[in-house]
Amino acid sequence: MAFTLYNAPQSTCSQRVRFVLNAKGLPFQEIKLNLLEGDQLKPEYLKLNPNGVVPTLDHDGNIVIDSNVIIEYLDEVEPAQSFTPEEPVRRARMRALMHFIDEMPAAAVRVPTFNLAFLPRFAKMSEEEFAAFAESKPLRKEFMLAMGRTGFPQAEMDAAMNRLRRTYERMDAEIERSGGPWLLGKDISLADVAVMPAMVRMADLGREGDWADLPRVVKWYALIRAEPAFKPTYYPGSLLTERFPHLRKAS
Ligand SMILES: N[C@@H](CCC(=O)N[C@@H](CS)C(=O)NCC(=O)O)C(=O)O
């Protein structure tokens, strides 16, 4: 099996896929796209992924897109070291959590990420340049226009932080219900992998204290960082603050 992963070091969605590939010991060729330069919007890449986002997986010439779909696919084609519970009801619970994670923390984390890290680049553009840039994004046009060249207002930042806080509380409740230490019980699952990058991003932005009062989540975070797949996934250059050091103090 030959895998090629089109991705970006700091992309949270890409980090999910790198984690599962590393955990399963599947060698892969990594093609790094420069998202700020718009590599994801080039015609040849759009043929692979019409959403104009990373990651995209090429498996022996078959193209699979969307990070949660890719990690489920990888768990199906390489079932050893499984991340999926055996019982259908627990599988359903895992998938429901993955949907929650995409709607809540994965979406919310984009607000501080764009406002804090990427805005200075957009602020330099003219209104016309920015409008054309937003227009070129198949999936994120409305998000870009809502942000504008001056960024999301504080109310939007507060709402994103509130959605993240509700995520930590939901994680705490799921761990308590399952008996932990993972979201679905004693084994790590794709739901843990799905939420991991949002947690790492918030810790990277100096917000690890936001879940300090939830010991089950504190333990979960230490456990996932201790997984052997964590370090190769977060190779040097994978954290936002490595590229934008001023962010360590900004949030
Ligand atoms: N649902 C998609 C979302 C992918 C996504 O939003 N990728 C971001 C990086 S994490 C991206 O490529 N952004 C580029 C852009 O906004 O132009 C997935 O999980 O694969």
Side-chain angles (χ1 to χ4, degrees), residues 145-159:
L145 292 176
M147 178 182 68
R149 283 161 58 237
T150 50
F152 290 106
Q154 190 57 43
E156 199 77 34
M157 281 285 269
D158 294 346

Side-chain angles (χ1 to χ4, degrees), residues 214-236:
L214 303 170
R216 282 180 279 262
V217 181
V218 172
K219 186 176 169 199
W220 176 95
Y221 189 61
L223 272 183
I224 201 142
R225 291 185 62 89
E227 281 290 301
F230 190 89
K231 210 169 161 200
T233 297
Y234 287 92
Y235 52 69

Side-chain angles (χ1 to χ4, degrees), residues 27-103:
F28 60 102
Q29 188 200 353
E30 190 183 359
I31 296 182
K32 293 179 184 171
L33 276 69
N34 186 332
L35 301 183
L36 283 180
E37 294 301 323
D39 287 351
Q40 73 280 23
L41 304 169
K42 292 190 175 148
E44 60 274 29
Y45 183 74
L46 288 173
K47 279 188 205 147
L48 300 177
N49 188 331
N51 292 334
V53 291
V54 290
T56 295
L57 183 76
D58 178 329
H59 175 205
D60 291 335
N62 296 308
I63 301 301
V64 188
I65 64 170
D66 200 286
S67 59
N68 272 350
V69 174
I70 297 172
I71 60 178
E72 276 215 56
Y73 174 82
L74 286 171
D75 219 23
E76 284 174 9
V77 295
E78 180 56 63
Q81 191 77 33
S82 174
F83 282 88
T84 306
E86 282 194 4
E87 309 88 322
V89 71
R90 292 182 64 235
R91 285 180 185 230
R93 198 166 286 158
M94 178 186 86
R95 292 190 180 112
L97 266 178
M98 289 168 81
H99 279 286
F100 168 83
I101 289 160
D102 259 4
E103 276 201 49

Side-chain angles (χ1 to χ4, degrees), residues 7-15 18 30 32-33 35-36 54 113 117-118 197 201 204 233-244 247:
N7 84 148
Q10 293 153 15
S11 141
T12 50
C13 315
S14 303
Q15 289 158 358
R18 296 208 299 268
E30 190 183 359
K32 293 179 184 171
L33 276 69
L35 301 183
L36 283 180
V54 290
T113 298
F118 303 149
R201 170 63 46 84
D204 187 34
T233 297
Y234 287 92
Y235 52 69
S238 299
L239 296 179
L240 210 55
T241 51
E242 291 176 280
R243 186 157 176 194
F244 304 99
L247 293 182

Side-chain angles (χ1 to χ4, degrees), residues 35-38 40-41 46 50-53 114 119 121-123 125-150 152:
L35 301 183
L36 283 180
E37 294 301 323
Q40 73 280 23
L41 304 169
L46 288 173
N51 292 334
V53 291
F114 274 73
L119 204 59
R121 186 188 149 80
F122 305 135
M125 294 178 172
S126 70
E127 201 56 61
E128 293 71 33
E129 277 171 334
F130 182 78
F133 183 65
E135 189 64 42
S136 71
K137 289 184 177 265
L139 207 62
R140 292 286 143 70
K141 174 183 160 184
E142 288 75 14
F143 175 85
M144 295 298 290
L145 292 176
M147 178 182 68
R149 283 161 58 237
T150 50
F152 290 106

